[in-house]
Amino acid sequence: MELHDVWFVLIAVLWTGYFFLEGFDFGVGILTKLLARNRPERRVLINTIGPVWDGNEVWLLSAGGATFAAFPEWYATLFSGFYLPLLFILVCLIVRGVAFEYRAKRPEENWQRNWETAIFWTSLLPAFLWGVAFGNIVHGVKIDRNFEYVGGFWALLNPYALLGGLVTLTLFTFHGAVFTALKTVGEIRERARRLASQVGLATAVLALVFLSWTQVDGGDAKSLVALVVAVAALVAALVANQAGREGWSFAFSGVTIVAAMAMLFLTLFPNVMPSSLNADWSLTVTNASSSPYTLKIMTWCAAIATPLVMLYQGWTYWVFRKRIGTQHIAEPAH
């Protein structure tokens, strides 16, 4: 396997890790409006992801940085062609981080309610837009012979990409509901399980249509296996959730995300950004990659740093592994 193939796999792993981890905290952010009935319950939801949400975003920075260094042509075309939606996602992530930090800085009802509303919308919109972005990457966009995107903003809002956005939105919400059930106690835990069952059914229908469309459009035997695993894992997650086995349900919902992302990247390879105008103008792992020397240096750095980061993040989750409820929420100190 060539180094550019290795880095394609590593970037796929980074994006998968990001959606697995950030997916549930996007879902929890969405649930602050759909599940929580009062301020203490919203605080419970926010506290379930409070110690980890910023660490989850490290995977996005790593994926973006790895793409820039390993496949500069891919990075340039992607970030110039998708400039507006990616900028919108970035603004949402900035506002979301500020909302987590500033929400409890003042006691006024309006102040806290406005920041909680910001958390909801800046969780929902990126959850939808990431699906739209990856839908366009896999399906193909208008790239000319100079490897430049020549389509407009509205060309990105095609039916396949919009369906992809709905899949990631519902899947992340389901993932977040299962995580909430795993991390909480009392009534909010029971409501999270019921909501997960409802959202999970909608997710299963949308995901089956989207992944089947992807398979018909450009899949092979390997991507078909990934499709079957994704659907089977989602069904298993629903069954485990119905049985009250939140740990297994969360594990299976995570497998669903991993298998779905594997299918998308298997369908994409060896392209990194297909051209819908002419297949010969597509960006591939060969024509979009950096020099072999650059990839070699990057490989050594990744081999040293990545295990350390994963160990530290795993330790963080272990430290904050206990369940919480409204009884653990202290009265405001203001």
Side-chain angles (χ1 to χ4, degrees), residues 53 57 87-100 115 122:
W53 69 267
E57 293 186 354
L87 176 63
F88 195 68
I89 290 174
L90 178 62
V91 171
C92 285
L93 294 180
I94 291 171
V95 173
R96 187 169 181 264
V98 172
F100 280 131
W115 285 120
T122 56

Side-chain angles (χ1 to χ4, degrees), residues 3 7 16 33 36 70-71 120 141 184-185 199 204 220 248 280-281 314-315:
L3 279 179
W7 273 96
T16 302
K33 290 292 186 181
F71 299 101
F120 170 76
V141 291
T184 57
V185 295
V199 176
D220 56 15
W248 282 107
D280 294 334
W281 298 345
W315 176 78

